[in-house]
Amino acid sequence: MNATSLTHTTIPSPEVSRRRLLALLGLGASTAAVAACSGRTGTGSAGGRIRLAMLQPPRSGLNPLSDDAFKLSRWSCAETLINLDAEGNAVAGLATAWEQQADNPATWRLTIRDGVTFHDGTALDAARAAACLTFAAGYTTPPRVLDGTSLTATAEGGTLVVTTATPDPLLPQRLSSPQLAILAAAAYPDGNDGAVNPVGHGTGAFRLTKVNGTAGATLERNDKYWGTKAAAPGIDVTFVPDGTARGAALRTGEADLVEAVPVAQATTLDEALLHEVPMPRTATLYLNTRSGPFTDPALRAAVRDAVDPAALVTGVYEGHADPAAGLLGPALPWAAQQRAWGSTTYAGTSGAAATGKVPGATTAGSVPAGTTVTLGSYTDRPELAEIVGLLADQLKKIGVNVTQDVREYSQMEADALAGKFDMVLLSRATVLDSGDPVAYMVSDFSSSGSFALSFLSDAAVDQALTTAGATAAGPERQKAILAAEQAILATTAAVPLLHERVLQGEAAGLKGAERDPRERALITSATALT
């Protein structure tokens, strides 16, 4: 799905060579660490269990109402009422049909799939689905995807009835969020503040049987699965935050499937084992339009035109990223298909804005002598710290002096939200839990946005976002989203730099692993060692 095998090489810069050398120096200890976690060595056998090395350990004990839900989804363990296709359209999951009521558009009626049993042997019905959604909506910290919906759910006979405070054309997509997985009654605590326990309580092709803290997890094939029975007998998960260790696990055959192989490891691995997956994540430079030098739109445009995204992609990501075409990248293929300038690079001297392809875009002006700005970013993503230095060099050429302030994200977020930086470099997910970019755009660029690092207040942008949010899912909504993107880009409140990719490692004998830009699917019924 929207992925390519790694087939090209680049000439390494001195910094790239240093990173590769460090990666090679760390191989022995990393391999030993993964072997200790997995408890076995050597390559997987045909028809055997799949050994999976994952990037992040659980943060909430695999509570599906947290971001840990995406792990359960990637293991085909917990399932949702609705799924999404590659275009973001709603398709059947545990619900087989859904309809918005013409006489009350705030209400949807869903038909629950027959013949589904939970891993503990209990049956799925409309009442159980309603109870799951009701618990999620009333949870102490409800899933993000339900923000502002005031969702209620009831069962009427065999039908699930879901109502929101106002008509919500995106409700089916919301119900696809892994954080709204449907679990057996025994998974839930008595109150609204306890953790939900997914062990043995899902409906998917694999049954979660054991969680070993932040070290690993074990899943067995669900032989009573309502769909196609899994080809693999089970999954052995190891959580390996260290990137060198993940690369080594793939190289030595300790893992059959590896999440997020670091770029620095790429040249130490057989390129046939690496597959690039475009992510719905864009590295973006947010410019403070409320105070400081960038209240001047002409100066913002000068910065936009001075940036060279291609140099960032080559120098930092070694080619494993795409110069930004806009806010939305290749992970949303419809964006390039419908956008006026397609996939042409947006920012930089050869960019779409600089060549007038964004109607209404601000024209660059001269830079006042002595212009000095502060650029904030964070160390949690090492690539961003490198980008900061390169941006400073690029902007110096047009007379903009950059003071760099790079910290851990937890230490810089409050200052960024308070407007204490003139520029903020952020790696931002452009589709959130519903698989739709409107929520991200509203959060970051509307006048009332909760994550408005640019502090943009623009009537045209607000109107475009309102229109997009009210449009039903499908081609018309996509057009409205791209109109909103164009309105945002025209203000130069944000300069998109590059669209990220992730390297997924797959052993030679592994077949059928999903390469999902939304990071919802990974191991499915079709995944197997051959």
Side-chain angles (χ1 to χ4, degrees):
M1 295 174 59
N2 299 317
T4 58
S5 295
L6 179 60
T7 58
H8 64 276
T9 57
T10 56
I11 299 174
S13 66
E15 174 60 21
V16 169
S17 298
R18 183 185 70 82
R19 290 202 306 271
R20 291 176 179 171
L21 177 60
L22 291 175
L24 287 168
L25 290 175
L27 297 183
S30 300
T31 304
V34 177
C37 290
S38 66
R40 54 181 168 161
T41 60
T43 58
S45 58
R49 300 176 64 85
I50 298 170
R51 298 164 302 165
L52 169 63
M54 298 197 80
L55 167 62
Q56 292 180 332
R59 296 179 179 179
S60 303
L62 290 177
N63 182 351
L65 296 177
S66 73
D67 281 341
D68 287 350
F70 288 82
K71 293 179 174 58
L72 301 173
S73 176
R74 285 168 76 73
W75 300 339
S76 290
C77 171
E79 298 178 308
T80 52
L81 293 167
I82 307 291
N83 293 321
L84 298 180
D85 66 13
E87 294 291 322
N89 300 310
V91 295
L94 295 178
T96 57
W98 48 93
E99 183 179 15
Q100 188 174 23
Q101 300 302 284
D103 58 344
N104 182 10
T107 296
W108 291 73
R109 301 179 72 89
L110 295 89
T111 302
I112 302 302
R113 186 181 295 277
D114 289 330
V116 177
T117 57
F118 293 101
H119 295 155
D120 64 2
T122 58
L124 169 67
D125 57 20
R128 175 88 298 269
C132 294
L133 295 181
T134 298
F135 186 93
Y139 196 55
T140 304
T141 53
R144 297 182 292 264
V145 75
L146 297 182
D147 286 351
T149 63
S150 298
L151 179 147
T152 61
T154 58
E156 294 183 3
T159 301
L160 172 65
V161 180
V162 180
T163 301
T164 53
T166 58
D168 182 5
L170 207 66
L171 182 72
Q173 280 77 3
R174 292 186 195 278
L175 295 179
S176 77
S177 169
Q179 292 181 337
L180 296 180
I182 305 301
L183 301 178
Y188 296 89
D190 293 334
N192 288 336
D193 57 355
V196 179
N197 178 15
V199 178
H201 297 136
T203 59
F206 291 95
R207 175 171 49 92
L208 181 61
T209 59
K210 182 180 179 181
V211 179
N212 186 14
T214 59
T218 303
L219 298 96
E220 305 295 339
R221 178 168 53 209
N222 175 15
D223 289 327
K224 296 182 180 179
Y225 184 49
W226 61 266
T228 303
K229 189 170 76 170
I235 308 170
D236 296 320
V237 182
T238 305
F239 301 114
V240 189
D242 182 77
T244 302
R246 292 196 307 280
L250 181 65
R251 180 184 307 103
T252 61
E254 299 298 334
D256 307 305
L257 183 57
V258 177
E259 274 193 326
V261 177
V263 169
Q265 290 283 312
T267 56
T268 70
L269 293 162
D270 181 348
E271 65 180 29
L273 306 182
L274 297 177
H275 306 272
E276 293 189 302
V277 184
M279 302 304 294
R281 180 174 286 277
T282 301
T284 302
L285 190 62
Y286 291 74
L287 307 184
N288 187 339
T289 66
R290 184 177 68 183
S291 62
F294 293 124
T295 56
D296 178 3
L299 182 58
R300 300 198 300 266
V303 167
R304 172 202 65 204
D305 293 349
V307 169
D308 183 0
L312 305 179
V313 168
T314 301
V316 177
Y317 290 84
E318 302 182 39
H320 303 303
D322 297 290
L327 299 171
L328 309 177
L332 299 175
W334 54 264
Q337 293 165 7
Q338 299 187 35
R339 187 188 285 127
W341 59 92
S343 58
T344 303
T345 305
Y346 164 72
T349 55
S350 63
T355 54
K357 293 183 181 179
V358 180
T362 304
T363 301
S366 59
V367 176
T371 297
T372 300
V373 300
T374 58
L375 169 55
S377 193
Y378 49 101
T379 57
D380 305 53
R381 289 181 174 269
E383 296 87 358
L384 296 185
E386 293 187 54
I387 290 176
V388 165
L390 291 176
L391 286 175
D393 291 340
Q394 291 178 1
L395 296 182
K396 187 174 182 180
K397 295 177 181 179
I398 64 167
V400 175
N401 299 309
V402 177
T403 299
Q404 304 174 34
D405 189 342
V406 182
R407 323 171 197 166
E408 290 184 9
Y409 184 80
S410 61
Q411 297 173 357
M412 63 83 66
E413 182 186 54
D415 284 347
L417 291 170
K420 294 185 178 180
F421 302 112
D422 297 312
M423 301 188 291
V424 176
L425 175 63
L426 195 74
S427 175
R428 187 70 163 123
T430 58
V431 295
L432 303 179
D433 303 285
S434 65
D436 181 85
V438 173
Y440 141 73
M441 290 180 170
V442 169
S443 172
D444 288 25
F445 302 112
S446 72
S447 298
S448 58
S450 61
F451 201 72
L453 300 183
S454 293
F455 304 97
L456 182 64
S457 181
D458 185 280
V461 169
D462 287 344
Q463 181 56 56
L465 289 172
T466 298
T467 299
T471 304
E476 291 305 313
R477 186 179 181 92
Q478 293 173 357
K479 291 178 183 177
I481 289 170
L482 293 179
E485 178 195 50
Q486 180 174 297
I488 294 165
L489 294 177
T491 69
T492 324
V495 180
L497 302 177
L498 56 91
H499 306 302
E500 297 183 9
R501 305 179 201 155
V502 68
L503 293 177
Q504 181 168 302
E506 302 174 17
L510 184 71
K511 306 298 180 185
E514 287 290 314
R515 301 164 190 165
D516 181 12
R518 299 188 189 94
E519 297 183 300
R520 296 184 177 199
L522 182 61
I523 296 176
T524 70
S525 292
T527 312
L529 292 167
T530 59

